[in-house]
Amino acid sequence: RADTLLLISVFMAAAAHCLCYEASALPLIGKSVMTSLLAADSRRFFGSHLKQRTSILKGVTGATSTLRLRSGDADDALLLATRVGREWMNPLSLSPDRFILACDGDEVVGFGQLRPQGRIWELASLVVEPSHRQQGVGSHIVKELLDRHRGSAYSGTPVYLITLESTCPFYERLGFCVAELAPSELRFELAAGAVLAQLARGEKLACMVWDAADNS
């Protein structure tokens, strides 16, 4: 928990630093945080859970593992925050019921979420455990999230994401392309995250977009 709190402090400090050239984003952030909190409460009360399903995945090594997909719940909050913090990702807006988790037996081996950001949706917090990487787990989670979005009432709304430039090819294979301009809802996060990415990874960030109409 201490590491997560530290990451939140660092992220907010980076965000404050970015205000020097995008001060207008502060009201948007405040509104976004409040909206997320209210939406999370209503979803926990009224929300329906994704049906659990089992999928057979073949990794690049030829190994086969059985993964069970399930939606997140309140009991997953600490695990999500801890692993997101470990990867130096945005520690904010981690409402568990927005997540899909991939489990190998009782072990959570990966997860990701789709969250509303004003006029758009954001694919975020994609994390796969090191022992299960390069086996198609991340791709499977993303495809499930996008299928879920495609079948929702918001299917006409594009899905954006912020990622390291080095991981762009991974998302391009899943139908994303580099956005010419980041939407206003993500510019603040992109600017703040760029500071952390440079400090933690020595890399730059990119904003990418996916449209259901182009990936039917």
Side-chain angles (χ1 to χ4, degrees), residues 11-12 23 29 41 45 51 125 166 173-174 178:
F11 187 86
M12 295 308 294
I29 292 297
D41 286 339
F45 189 77
K51 290 182 179 179
S125 314
S166 61
R173 291 192 293 271
L174 295 169
V178 176

Side-chain angles (χ1 to χ4, degrees), residues 4-174:
T4 301
L5 291 174
L6 175 61
L7 179 59
I8 291 175
S9 299
V10 173
F11 187 86
M12 295 308 294
H17 175 72
C18 295
L19 286 176
C20 63
Y21 64 88
E22 195 158 352
S24 62
L26 187 56
L28 176 63
I29 292 297
K31 181 179 179 182
S32 176
V33 170
M34 182 60 69
T35 300
S36 296
L37 289 174
L38 294 174
D41 286 339
S42 63
R43 287 193 305 272
R44 276 191 288 270
F45 189 77
F46 297 107
S48 60
H49 290 290
L50 177 71
K51 290 182 179 179
Q52 297 181 357
R53 65 175 73 181
T54 300
S55 299
I56 304 298
L57 300 182
K58 290 188 177 180
V60 294
T61 60
T64 301
S65 60
T66 302
L67 292 187
R68 175 173 55 91
L69 294 182
R70 66 173 177 84
S71 56
D73 57 39
D75 292 337
D76 299 311
L78 180 58
L79 178 145
L80 296 172
T82 300
R83 294 189 184 179
V84 166
R86 182 193 68 193
E87 300 298 324
W88 285 79
M89 292 179 171
N90 181 356
L92 306 176
S93 300
L94 300 181
S95 181
D97 55 344
R98 287 288 185 195
F99 281 79
I100 289 178
L101 287 74
C103 302
D104 188 356
D106 294 329
E107 180 187 5
V108 175
V109 298
F111 54 76
Q113 67 162 322
L114 273 179
R115 59 191 177 199
Q117 295 279 26
R119 301 169 294 114
I120 66 167
W121 285 76
E122 181 188 11
L123 174 67
S125 314
L126 182 64
V127 174
V128 176
E129 288 301 280
S131 60
H132 284 71
R133 291 175 184 172
Q134 303 300 318
Q135 298 179 38
V137 177
S139 297
H140 195 59
I141 293 171
V142 173
K143 289 176 181 177
E144 182 64 37
L145 286 166
L146 295 179
D147 283 346
R148 184 179 182 182
H149 181 75
R150 187 185 285 111
S152 74
Y154 307 100
S155 59
T157 307
V159 176
Y160 286 82
L161 63 83
I162 295 173
T163 189
L164 298 171
E165 286 188 346
S166 61
T167 59
C168 284
F170 167 78
Y171 290 105
E172 288 173 346
R173 291 192 293 271
L174 295 169

